[in-house]
Amino acid sequence: MTAVSLGIPAVPPRGFGNISELEPFPKYAKRELGNAQQRRNLTHATHTIRDKRLKVVSELPDWEALRDAGSAIKTEAMERLPELLAQFEEQFTARGGTVHWARDAAEANRIVEELIRAAGPDETGPDENSGATEVVKVKSMATQEIGLNEYLEERGIAAFETDLAELIVQLGHDKPSHILVPAIHKNRTEIRDIFLREMPGVDPDLTDEPRRLAMAARAHLRAKFLSARVAISGANFGIAETGTLGVVESEGNGRMCLTLPETLITVMGIEKVLPRAEDLGVFMQLLPRSSTGERMNPYTSLWTGVTPGDGPQNVHVVILDNGRTRALADRHGRSALHCIRCSACMNVCPVYERAGGHAYGSTYPGPIGAILSPLLTGIEAEENKSLPYASSLCGACFDACPVKINIPEILVHLRGEDVEERRSKPGARRLPSQFDLAMTGASWAMSDGARMGLLERGLPLGKAAAGRYGVISKLPGIGAGWTQSRDIPAPPAESFRQQWKKRDGSRPATDRPATEGESK
């Protein structure tokens, strides 16, 4: 077994790679909002997936119990993580596989390159000492996170994405904008144009018919599957009990990558480990329904080490930290590591639907990206400070999450950390801002019924300020930020408390619930 400390380091390493914004979210989002075609594509795609998900979820009377079970398994896995990772390594090694540990993106990339070089030359290599120069890949968030494709390309190794959507993104020299559907921002015509421009040997009369596009991609990839000596994958799950890895996919490209090449390298985040094989029974119900709106995904591949004479004979797994122990050390944010990458939170998020995935600047877009990226890098990383504010806190993501990650609560926690971090800097402003004063005043008023009642007496003034059109369209100070893009409806003549008091007071005492100090 590899000698490695599995305890949480005193100073957890921060994450690096494609998990940092290049510019603040508001600036990026404002530019993306001008892309009307992208917004139409996103609206159509997210609503279609969302409707399918609702339909298949409604078929299960125990859906909430499944969510509870998934959350409990993930919580247990995080609490026992050092023990489970050691168990996974022991079992994986005992079955002929090799485990490598990577502290961050740079270390993981270097390990993968060395393994590719050691696999020997392929048909396209310049000489017998060059090692493989082409590898095929299964869709993998972890390898996107560490920027593996770019790293290998700089060193003369071409990594071919075999998932159709990932292939579209790669050929288009673009970046994914959705975890599950990376090319969600492209329509059929745009995809056809990319194929005609970038795909060698494609039929020049290719149309945007989905079947013909799929056939073109299939012909392009088939030659790569048959010639590549090395494949790289991610993993949806790693089973500690047996040392088994699992990949869930829809196109069969994963099955080809996992079985044909001689060498298989898997990059897996430490949070993907599950205690027992039976835990898959829960997640194989939660994941397909939450991601693609299917009762069961078409392809599930599970492999345990090496089987002589069958499949890859050199099997490796690179277990990646890259900021995960930092996230684990945050007791308010650690549940973000429960994420199973289903993307259900994105499909219900009003902010993501309008801004798109590129605005998050990270491999992980949408609500989960708004918490996961800052947790991996640390909120003090300047480039990710704006992400926790990329939310309306409507709570739809929490309701949709199959493992009940309370994303709004973590967003508020990270916003608080950001404020405290800025205030702790030397030279930071010590005097309270308008926002501080407003929040302090609101806290004072809302913490006492008598104060709240006094404040409500001012409602007629608000109604008068709304004028005959019934809206307040301009506020002073920090309130101007709100009315700059929206109006405030005129407040009612009476508050809810006043209306309730009138209604309750008109009922006989025997019909009313007892209040404090009143006996029935």
Side-chain angles (χ1 to χ4, degrees):
M1 185 184 297
T2 305
V4 60
S5 171
L6 295 173
I8 297 175
V11 182
R14 63 155 288 180
F16 292 94
N18 295 325
I19 50 175
S20 297
E21 286 216 304
L22 300 178
E23 56 185 336
F25 181 87
K27 190 175 179 180
Y28 213 133
K30 188 174 183 179
R31 188 166 60 250
E32 293 295 302
L33 283 171
N35 188 340
Q37 179 67 56
Q38 174 177 279
R39 282 193 282 118
R40 280 194 294 272
N41 295 350
L42 284 171
T43 299
H44 174 73
T46 55
H47 282 243
T48 300
I49 299 172
R50 192 161 70 193
D51 292 344
K52 287 178 64 180
R53 174 188 171 277
L54 288 174
K55 184 178 178 182
V56 295
V57 164
S58 67
E59 296 171 351
L60 294 181
D62 60 345
W63 177 250
E64 288 305 314
L66 278 170
R67 292 179 72 202
D68 288 336
S71 177
I73 293 169
K74 282 290 186 177
T75 300
E76 178 194 354
M78 294 304 106
E79 290 175 348
R80 298 175 54 204
L81 194 55
E83 168 200 343
L84 293 177
L85 287 171
Q87 185 183 12
F88 176 86
E89 180 182 31
E90 181 181 1
Q91 295 299 321
F92 192 82
T93 304
R95 289 163 174 77
T98 305
V99 175
H100 310 261
W101 298 88
R103 179 183 175 90
D104 55 25
E107 196 168 9
N109 285 332
R110 179 180 53 76
I111 292 170
V112 173
E113 183 197 358
E114 290 173 356
L115 293 173
I116 295 172
R117 301 286 186 202
D122 53 27
E123 296 175 1
T124 58
D127 58 66
E128 62 180 10
N129 298 317
S130 66
T133 56
E134 291 188 351
V135 299
V136 288
K137 282 187 66 197
V138 191
K139 182 178 183 299
S140 160
M141 303 303 297
T143 58
Q144 288 175 17
E145 173 189 321
I146 62 178
L148 180 63
N149 286 11
E150 299 89 331
Y151 177 91
L152 294 179
E153 185 179 3
E154 291 172 359
R155 287 153 182 81
I157 300 172
F160 292 95
E161 297 288 352
T162 61
D163 174 87
L164 178 57
E166 289 288 351
L167 176 67
I168 294 166
V169 170
Q170 186 178 44
L171 291 176
H173 309 288
D174 201 351
K175 290 187 176 180
S177 61
H178 191 278
I179 286 179
L180 180 69
V181 196
I184 196 171
H185 55 294
K186 298 291 185 187
N187 60 28
R188 288 185 292 168
T189 303
E190 291 172 314
I191 294 168
R192 179 204 60 189
D193 294 342
I194 290 172
F195 281 11
L196 288 174
R197 190 173 63 245
E198 302 287 344
M199 190 177 281
V202 73
D203 181 358
D205 296 323
L206 182 68
T207 69
D208 62 1
E209 181 189 351
R211 180 177 174 277
R212 294 201 60 185
L213 292 172
M215 293 300 291
R218 182 181 182 184
H220 171 72
L221 291 172
R222 184 54 58 98
K224 304 299 180 189
F225 285 132
L226 296 175
S227 64
R229 299 187 61 178
V230 179
I232 299 171
S233 82
N236 291 95
F237 309 106
I239 308 298
E241 183 181 55
T242 58
T244 301
L245 292 168
V247 163
V248 177
E249 42 109 8
S250 299
E251 300 169 13
N253 63 300
R255 185 68 57 82
M256 302 282 274
C257 288
L258 298 171
T259 55
L260 289 178
E262 297 170 12
T263 298
L264 174 60
I265 305 167
T266 300
V267 181
M268 179 182 78
I270 58 173
E271 82 281 14
K272 296 296 182 69
V273 69
L274 295 177
R276 300 159 293 268
E278 66 185 42
D279 296 332
L280 285 176
V282 172
F283 291 103
M284 293 313 295
Q285 295 183 76
L286 290 173
L287 182 56
R289 285 179 166 81
S290 300
S291 56
T292 55
E294 296 172 300
R295 298 181 183 92
M296 181 182 290
N297 60 288
Y299 294 90
T300 299
S301 299
L302 301 170
W303 68 100
T304 308
V306 175
T307 301
D310 185 12
Q313 298 301 294
N314 302 308
V315 178
H316 302 264
V317 59
V318 181
I319 300 180
L320 177 70
D321 184 331
N322 204 38
R324 285 163 175 77
T325 48
R326 171 184 281 267
L328 190 64
D330 187 327
R331 65 187 179 92
H332 299 289
R334 63 166 54 179
S335 62
L337 296 176
H338 297 184
C339 177
I340 58 174
R341 312 289 191 264
C342 69
S343 72
C345 61
M346 294 172 212
N347 299 328
V348 297
C349 178
V351 176
Y352 172 84
E353 184 179 320
R354 287 156 182 79
H358 292 158
Y360 295 81
S362 166
T363 296
Y364 306 107
I368 188 63
I371 59 171
L372 189 56
S373 299
L375 284 167
L376 294 177
T377 62
I379 193 65
E380 67 275 13
E382 193 66 36
E383 58 271 26
N384 281 339
K385 280 180 178 297
S386 64
L387 283 177
Y389 300 93
S391 170
S392 64
L393 300 180
C394 68
C397 49
F398 181 34
D399 294 337
C401 178
V403 289
K404 293 193 169 182
I405 301 172
N406 194 334
I407 294 177
E409 190 173 277
I410 299 175
L411 286 166
V412 172
H413 160 65
L414 291 174
R415 292 179 187 185
E417 280 206 334
D418 174 48
V419 171
E420 292 302 320
E421 196 271 334
R422 277 186 285 167
R423 284 178 174 171
S424 66
K425 286 183 176 178
R429 179 178 176 175
R430 301 298 179 192
L431 294 175
S433 65
Q434 288 186 50
F435 188 78
D436 294 332
L437 293 174
M439 289 296 103
T440 303
S443 174
W444 178 81
M446 293 180 182
S447 60
D448 184 274
R451 295 171 195 159
M452 195 67 192
L454 189 64
L455 194 67
E456 288 167 354
R457 292 184 184 179
L459 286 177
L461 294 176
K463 193 171 179 61
R468 60 175 177 165
Y469 296 110
V471 294
I472 300 173
S473 56
K474 193 172 184 180
L475 286 176
I478 58 170
W482 176 273
T483 53
Q484 188 177 25
S485 56
R486 57 182 78 82
D487 294 326
I488 298 177
E494 293 179 319
S495 70
F496 173 80
R497 287 152 52 91
Q498 291 166 336
Q499 294 178 45
W500 181 260
K501 190 175 180 181
K502 279 186 180 179
R503 179 176 178 273
D504 205 39
S506 65
R507 296 164 60 190
T510 52
D511 292 344
R512 286 184 277 127
T515 57
E516 190 176 351
E518 181 183 16
S519 61
K520 294 188 69 175

